[in-house]
Amino acid sequence: MLKQRQGWLSAAPAIIVFAVLFVAPLSMFFVVSFWQVKLFALVPTFTFANYAKTFQEYSGSLLFTLVIGLTVGFVTTALAFGFAYVIRFRAGKLGPLLLFMALFTLFGGYLVKIYAWKTILGREGILNTALMWVGVIDEPLTMLLYSPFAVIITLVHYLLPLAILPIYGSLIDVDDHALEAARDLGAKRGRVMLGIVLPQARFGVIAAFAMSFLVSAGDYVTPRLVGGTQTSMLGNFIEGQFGLRMNAPLGSAMSFTMLVVCLAIIIGLWFLSRLTSPR
Amino acid sequence: MIDRLLRPSTWFAVLVAIFLLTPILLVVLFSFGKNQLTTFPMGGVTLDWYREVFDWPQFWSALKTTVAVSGTVGLASAITGTLAALGLIKLKEKTAGVAISTLGLPLMLPPLVIGLALLTCYSLIGMPLGRISVILAHLVYTQPFVIAVVHARLRQMDYAAVEAARDCGATPLQAFMTVTLPVARASIIGGALIAMALSLDDFVITFFTLGGGNTLSTLIWGMLRTTIDPTINAVGTVIICLTIGMTAIALWVTRYRG
């Protein structure tokens, strides 16, 4: 018991940081979503008007954001799983080198990466000039930049190394002997994957998906810089509430609507994954 | 080796690595290019863009703020994170796992939501925006990395040695300094470096909680909206060198193999 109490005491600073700088601000921000703004000042009330307005005015944008977020989530998770699987089971001595190369790009500058894609995908960009030089196209492709495609590829590139970490972490613990035993007993490759590898890697896969889905659904910098005028995501409208419009309550209601919808989707997918995978 | 190179699955992983590295390498490459536009042909090799950036007072003041913020964040999260890891190792493994996941929640949320929640909260309690408010904001999502890395290292350690030291009359601090620290030192440093890289890399939360002035990431945000010449590539290369340098050292000192 004493040991336990010492343990919690030692963890106290971190827990206080978490409580004061994460739980408290987020709770306060949630409370603000029921408030109103009058003459640029916050007025504490209790109204659902902000949520009503979110659904009336921004449901189209929310839907678009969810489609982008889900696409990024699925593509990122699939690529990250494939990469981590190859590193863990198939690449042999090349594995650590490839993993190191991927982790190298973990924190290579969020804005720098978005800027890099802007220069790659632009009308006079690297991809267009390269394709024209090779002779694949005569005219530069204009639909590369300032499109949903640009937003998706930029976000996948940013989130992929972060998604590889938890998946690779969960694949390390998979027992090689169990795989060999299954193969010796005649299990086909797909059966080994579904029966042994995926169930054990499920936590890592779900964590990677949840992270990449939530972060991309809440992003506003990428659509602003490479999405163009037609690709505004909910994050852009949320951020707008804190700039000129000064409507923190509406921005807060929009944030929590987005979070709740995203969490519902993640929980739904989690139960779906439990139903489909054999016990 | 050769037969593994010929496997399609290996090629898939190699292509993913190329996809991840190419955009970053292009930024570095074009920071040395003579051409005004970031496109091929890049012209000759030049250091002009770096000269321009290094002659720019705003760059130095942003760099100073960045070093102060991410240095403090690294140190502070090393302290809270290491203390937490030392504490959690004493708890039941399942409880510790739940605690680590809970403390890691800030990493799952969009930075926009965290930044706006903190901004609203700071302004409601009347906290002035500045370096301190940014450091506090960063701390909450950098400490989980230190906790995870250090906790993983402590789990491999033989805890009986600490208890033996305590039984022989060492104070908790002595036991920590002589037994635990030599084992955990590398992972503490590695965790702190990752925390610094995360802090340096962040734009969204910094943007909302900084108030006035610039860090390197808010500086580059301003440049992205006003300039299109390769000085952005030069500043970008500085950021890349700092973050990747820290990550590489962190991976090396912790001997990260996954």
Side-chain angles (χ1 to χ4, degrees), chain B residues 205-219:
Chain B
I205 296 176
T206 311
F207 179 71
F208 286 114
T209 53
L210 184 62
N214 267 325
T215 65
L216 282 182
S217 56
T218 61
L219 183 80

Side-chain angles (χ1 to χ4, degrees), chain A residues 77-223:
Chain A
T77 312
L79 287 177
F81 184 83
F83 185 78
Y85 182 83
V86 172
I87 300 273
R88 169 69 178 83
F89 294 110
R90 323 255 329 150
K93 279 178 190 157
L94 273 174
L97 179 70
L98 286 168
L99 182 67
F100 193 76
M101 279 162 77
L103 295 181
F104 220 64
T105 64
L106 252 181
F107 311 114
Y110 166 64
L111 286 177
V112 179
K113 285 178 186 168
I114 303 176
Y115 165 72
W117 283 103
K118 204 174 164 174
T119 61
I120 292 172
L121 299 174
R123 194 172 179 280
E124 319 259 274
I126 293 156
L127 191 61
N128 266 327
T129 43
L131 286 176
M132 275 163 65
W133 188 72
V134 177
V136 182
I137 49 170
D138 302 320
E139 294 274 299
L141 301 168
T142 49
M143 81 283 195
L144 290 175
L145 189 61
Y146 304 127
S147 64
F149 164 77
V151 175
I152 290 168
I153 195 167
T154 307
L155 282 170
V156 168
H157 177 254
Y158 168 61
L159 292 164
L160 188 53
L162 290 162
I164 289 171
L165 274 185
I167 297 180
Y168 183 73
S170 63
L171 284 180
I172 290 179
D173 297 334
V174 175
D175 188 3
D176 282 297
H177 300 296
L179 298 185
E180 267 165 46
R183 281 195 205 109
D184 290 347
L185 292 171
K188 295 226 172 63
R189 204 181 269 182
R191 183 88 184 80
V192 174
M193 180 69 93
L194 281 177
I196 303 174
V197 180
L198 267 179
Q200 291 193 54
R202 208 168 63 202
F203 271 104
V205 171
I206 291 277
F209 175 79
M211 186 272 304
S212 41
F213 173 45
L214 271 171
V215 170
S216 55
D219 193 38
Y220 76 99
V221 181
T222 310

Side-chain angles (χ1 to χ4, degrees), chain A residues 1-31:
Chain A
M1 273 326 280
L2 181 69
K3 199 172 151 190
Q4 296 245 324
R5 196 181 303 158
Q6 281 174 345
W8 286 113
L9 200 67
S10 173
I15 295 172
I16 291 170
V17 166
F18 177 75
V20 173
L21 291 160
F22 182 73
V23 179
L26 221 57
S27 319
M28 220 158 162
F29 194 47
F30 181 60
V31 171

Side-chain angles (χ1 to χ4, degrees), chain B residues 64-74 131 134-135 138 199 210 215:
Chain B
K64 236 183 258 171
T65 311
T66 301
V67 169
V69 167
S70 55
T72 315
V73 168
R131 287 183 189 181
V134 177
I135 290 166
H138 284 183
S199 161
L210 184 62
T215 65

Side-chain angles (χ1 to χ4, degrees), chain A residues 25-47:
Chain A
L26 221 57
S27 319
M28 220 158 162
F29 194 47
F30 181 60
V31 171
V32 167
S33 73
F34 299 101
W35 290 9
Q36 281 196 308
V37 167
K38 287 210 176 90
L39 296 168
F40 299 107
L42 291 176
V43 183
T45 47
F46 185 76
T47 169

